[in-house]
């Protein structure tokens, strides 16, 4: 009943109005999109409330507002880069990191004689927890000498992210119970893992072809070919064997058991390892041959994004646009897919099996579909209709023939009733019915005036009762007495 009327939609934050938009209300109950752009100054949980003023002649204005709570995350991620001293690896690594405006980079050097960094090296796990990620460029022995391995292990175990770039012998000391054994993505053996000088071009493993750390970008057709064109590295630590939860992404071409780039999940945190000298050449030498540093920057940004994505929620999720449908209604199934660095992942194949909750096996009611890639990590499929019942979904995500994710969901299809097609108040139709039948339309709020409008004539109540006199003993006695009186009067009057 308010079609064509203009009103104001207001946005409030913590009780204070922060925006408003004028809109024209539609006449047939269509939705109107109103967009507010909000940039909070600080992180935290904010309550936003959208409200429309009372338009007058409403049954109630209590449903003219809706509130929502939004968690605002820090605008920048804090990164600490630790090194024993400046070197080329550190220089080009920092240059690549600082190209990302969403990162806040700080440096700290190890030792009293080391040059001053942006801040002093933390000496506790709590100090490291001030940062979203910590990178160690060399300096493992120096950190171990300060007994900081345990602090870093505690930091990672509680959800921290650690990047380790090995540039010399891996012998921080300690035995099998060394905290470094918890951090290294290889099997740590005290006294071994010596540094070896060698010029080589590392090769991607099968996992490295699709992992977000080494995938480079969606536009790169062959990551292996892109890495093979880079300058060779100049040395590596002789480390072998994958620790529990570790994956080798790049290995030595002649020693496939020696990881050059590896990742590891440990506790609630993540560890990324680069094993080799000369990575900085990947950011410098290609320019001399007409190339660029795109691959090196992609490696740094991909590794950083993967580390920062720890505990970011489900990477693969399948769902429907509504939890409950009516029979005959279109069902839209969608899936969102992200890689381990929490970035949208395109080019995958999402297969979904739909089945009822009673039949958990393949039957005539089971449907197998493949979702369409819409870009930006979104995959969808529209089904014209589903039968009545409770349905479950099982989705499998595959990339380059490898399974990378599983997800499940459910939805309900209920019988459709025409009675529930439109349950909104249609005052125009009610007024038309009243006019056509000679009546009057009243809103619920004006029900008290009904008595004045209605003219009700008085109603006479008539009752009829029939009784048989001859069957009444009292009337019989009266009749006999009347006859006797007449006889007496006739005798006194000498009448016959």
């Amino acid at each position: 009943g308010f079609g064509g009327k203009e009103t104001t939609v207001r946005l409030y934050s913590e009780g204070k109005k922060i925006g408003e938009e004028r809109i024209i209300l539609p006449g047939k109950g269509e939705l109107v999109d109103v967009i507010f752009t909000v940039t909070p100054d600080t992180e935290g949980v904010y309550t936003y409330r959208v409200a429309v003023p009372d338009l007058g002649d409403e049954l109630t204005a209590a449903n003219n507002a809706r509130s929502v709570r939004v968690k605002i995350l820090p605008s920048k991620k804090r990164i600490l880069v630790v090194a024993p001293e400046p070197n080329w690896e550190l220089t080009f690594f920092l240059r690549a990191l600082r190209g990302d405006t969403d990162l806040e980079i700080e440096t700290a050097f190890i030792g009293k004689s080391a040059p001053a960094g942006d801040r002093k090296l933390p000496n506790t796990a709590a100090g490291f927890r001030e940062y979203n990620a910590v990178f160690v460029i060399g300096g493992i022995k120096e950190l171990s000498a300060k007994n900081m391995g345990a602090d870093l292990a505690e930091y990672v175990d509680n959800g921290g992210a650690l990047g380790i770039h090995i540039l010399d012998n891996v012998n921080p000391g300690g035995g099998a119970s060394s905290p470094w054994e918890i951090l290294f993505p290889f099997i740590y053996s005290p006294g071994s893992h010596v540094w070896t000088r060698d010029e080589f071009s590392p090769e991607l493993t099968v996992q490295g072809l699709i992992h977000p750390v080494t995938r480079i970008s969606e536009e790169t057709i062959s990551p292996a070919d892109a890495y093979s064109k880079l300058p060779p590295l100049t040395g590596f630590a002789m480390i072998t064997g994958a620790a529990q939860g570790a994956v080798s992404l790049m290995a030595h071409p002649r020693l496939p058991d020696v990881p050059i780039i590896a990742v590891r999940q440990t506790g609630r945190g993540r560890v990324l390892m680069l094993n080799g000298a000369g990575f900085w050449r990947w950011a410098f030498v290609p320019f001399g041959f007409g190339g660029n540093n795109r691959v090196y920057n992609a490696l740094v940004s991909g590794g950083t994004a993967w580390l920062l994505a720890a505990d970011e929620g489900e990477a693969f999720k399948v769902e429907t646009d509504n939890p409950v449908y009516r029979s005959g209604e279109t069902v839209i199934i969608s899936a969102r897919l992200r890689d381990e660095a929490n970035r949208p992942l395109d080019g995958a194949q999402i297969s979904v099996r739909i089945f009822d909750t009673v039949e958990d096996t393949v039957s005539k009611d089971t449907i197998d579909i493949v979702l369409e890639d819409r870009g930006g990590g979104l995959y969808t499929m529209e089904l014209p209709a589903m039968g009545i019942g409770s349905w479950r979904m099982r989705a499998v995500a595959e990339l380059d023939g490898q399974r990378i994710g599983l997800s499940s969901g459910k939805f309900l299809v209920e019988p459709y009733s025409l009675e529930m097609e439109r349950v909104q108040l249609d005052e125009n139709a009610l007024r038309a019915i009243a006019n056509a039948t000679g009546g009057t339309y009243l809103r619920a709020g004006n029900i008290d005036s009904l008595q004045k409008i209605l003219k009700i004539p008085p109603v006479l109540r008539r009752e009829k009762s029939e009784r048989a006199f001859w069957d009444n003993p009292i009337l019989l006695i009266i009749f006999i007495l009347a006859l006797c009186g007449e006889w007496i009067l006739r005798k006194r009057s000498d009448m016959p």
Side-chain angles (χ1 to χ4, degrees):
F2 296 101
K5 188 170 184 177
E6 186 177 9
T7 187
T8 302
V9 182
R10 297 184 175 95
L11 177 67
Y12 298 85
S13 176
E14 311 301 330
K16 180 180 179 181
K17 187 178 75 172
I18 60 175
E20 65 179 25
E21 294 287 341
R22 299 291 293 178
I23 63 169
I24 303 296
L25 295 176
K28 296 183 179 180
E30 297 95 337
L31 295 176
V32 178
D33 291 330
V34 181
I35 300 176
F36 292 98
T37 301
V38 182
T39 305
D41 296 329
T42 58
E43 61 184 281
V45 178
Y46 289 78
T47 300
Y48 294 101
R49 183 174 178 83
V50 178
V52 177
D54 188 350
L55 300 176
D57 203 29
E58 291 190 67
L59 289 177
T60 177
N63 58 355
N64 286 18
R66 178 67 63 85
S67 297
V68 63
R69 302 191 73 190
V70 179
K71 183 179 181 181
I72 306 301
L73 301 176
S75 59
K76 292 188 177 183
K77 298 287 188 179
R78 296 186 66 193
I79 309 291
L80 177 64
V81 182
V82 179
E85 58 186 5
N87 54 51
W88 289 117
E89 299 288 1
L90 175 64
T91 299
F92 284 93
F93 184 76
L94 288 174
R95 186 177 298 174
L97 279 181
R98 287 170 175 156
D100 189 340
T101 57
D102 292 328
L103 301 180
E104 183 178 331
I105 312 299
E106 296 182 11
T107 59
F109 292 98
I110 310 169
K112 295 181 179 180
S113 59
D118 297 313
R119 65 155 296 167
K120 187 177 180 181
L121 180 70
N123 55 10
T124 63
F128 287 113
R129 280 196 292 270
E130 295 179 9
Y131 297 89
N132 301 102
V134 176
F135 286 94
V136 178
I137 311 298
I140 294 178
K141 289 189 295 184
E142 289 82 355
L143 290 173
S144 182
K146 291 179 171 292
N147 297 317
M148 300 188 68
D151 295 326
L152 287 171
E154 181 182 346
Y155 164 71
V156 173
D157 187 60
N158 286 280
L162 177 65
I164 302 175
H165 191 163
I166 298 175
L167 292 173
D168 51 16
N169 294 337
V170 184
N171 188 20
S177 60
S178 170
W180 294 100
E181 184 187 26
I182 302 174
L183 299 174
F184 288 145
F186 55 88
I187 299 176
Y188 174 60
S189 300
S192 59
H193 313 314
V194 297
W195 184 258
T196 303
R197 294 186 177 276
D198 180 29
E199 286 204 354
F200 67 98
S201 295
E203 297 179 349
L204 287 172
T205 64
V206 175
Q207 294 85 352
L209 289 171
I210 61 173
H211 199 277
V213 172
T214 49
R215 195 176 62 243
I216 303 178
S217 70
E218 301 296 338
E219 293 76 20
T220 303
I221 299 177
S222 175
D225 183 57
Y227 281 108
S228 67
K229 296 178 180 178
L230 296 174
L233 302 182
T234 59
F236 67 97
M238 189 66 72
I239 55 179
T240 56
Q244 183 178 4
V247 177
S248 175
L249 306 180
M250 192 174 285
H252 194 285
R254 299 182 299 278
L255 303 168
D257 292 335
V258 176
I260 302 302
I261 298 179
V263 294
R264 182 183 187 183
Q265 298 271 2
T266 176
R268 292 172 44 222
R270 293 179 169 184
V271 176
L272 165 67
M273 180 202 71
L274 275 67
N275 172 29
F279 278 98
W280 66 270
R281 293 184 174 186
W282 293 5
F284 178 72
V285 175
F287 285 102
F289 297 92
N292 54 53
N293 59 357
R294 184 176 65 90
V295 176
Y296 178 81
N297 287 343
L299 177 64
V300 173
S301 63
T304 305
W306 180 82
L307 286 174
L308 294 175
D311 293 334
E312 287 289 343
E314 296 180 84
F316 176 48
K317 185 176 182 180
V318 64
E319 57 189 353
T320 56
D321 58 330
N322 289 313
V324 180
Y325 297 90
R326 66 189 187 191
S327 59
E329 191 174 11
T330 299
V331 177
I332 299 178
I333 298 176
S334 63
R336 294 191 177 277
L337 181 62
R338 302 192 305 269
D339 59 24
E340 293 185 47
N342 204 36
R343 297 177 299 194
L345 182 58
D346 298 332
Q349 177 174 299
I350 310 296
S351 304
V352 181
R353 168 161 292 183
I354 307 172
F355 52 91
D356 58 56
T357 55
V358 178
E359 292 277 350
D360 203 19
T361 58
V362 177
S363 68
K364 64 179 182 180
D365 294 327
T366 299
I367 302 174
D368 292 302
I369 61 174
V370 177
L371 304 187
E372 297 181 12
D373 190 347
R374 304 294 185 181
L378 176 64
Y379 302 77
T380 66
M381 174 63 72
E382 183 176 307
L383 302 179
M386 292 292 296
I388 297 172
S390 181
W391 297 89
R392 295 175 61 188
M393 302 178 292
R394 286 181 181 168
V396 178
E398 295 184 340
L399 184 64
D400 295 334
Q402 297 187 51
R403 178 178 294 185
I404 59 175
L406 297 173
S407 182
S408 61
K410 58 183 179 180
F411 62 93
L412 179 66
V413 179
E414 294 182 332
Y416 168 62
S417 173
L418 185 61
E419 180 182 1
M420 301 301 294
E421 171 64 24
R422 291 191 64 187
V423 296
Q424 302 95 332
L425 176 64
D426 192 341
E427 292 188 292
N428 293 330
L430 293 175
R431 287 193 178 95
I433 293 173
N435 294 333
T437 56
T440 302
Y441 169 73
L442 290 177
R443 305 194 70 183
N446 301 328
I447 195 67
D448 293 338
S449 62
L450 181 62
Q451 186 176 1
K452 299 178 181 179
I453 298 175
L454 296 178
K455 296 180 179 180
I456 304 175
V459 178
L460 298 179
R461 183 177 180 180
R462 303 177 182 273
E463 293 184 358
K464 182 179 180 180
S465 178
E466 296 182 357
R467 302 186 69 176
F469 288 103
W470 303 110
D471 293 337
N472 195 314
I474 296 177
L475 292 177
L476 178 62
I477 293 173
I478 294 174
F479 179 72
I480 293 173
L481 289 176
L483 290 176
C484 290
E486 180 188 13
W487 182 81
I488 292 172
L489 289 174
R490 290 174 67 85
K491 289 298 181 182
R492 285 185 176 183
S493 302
D494 292 328
M495 294 179 68

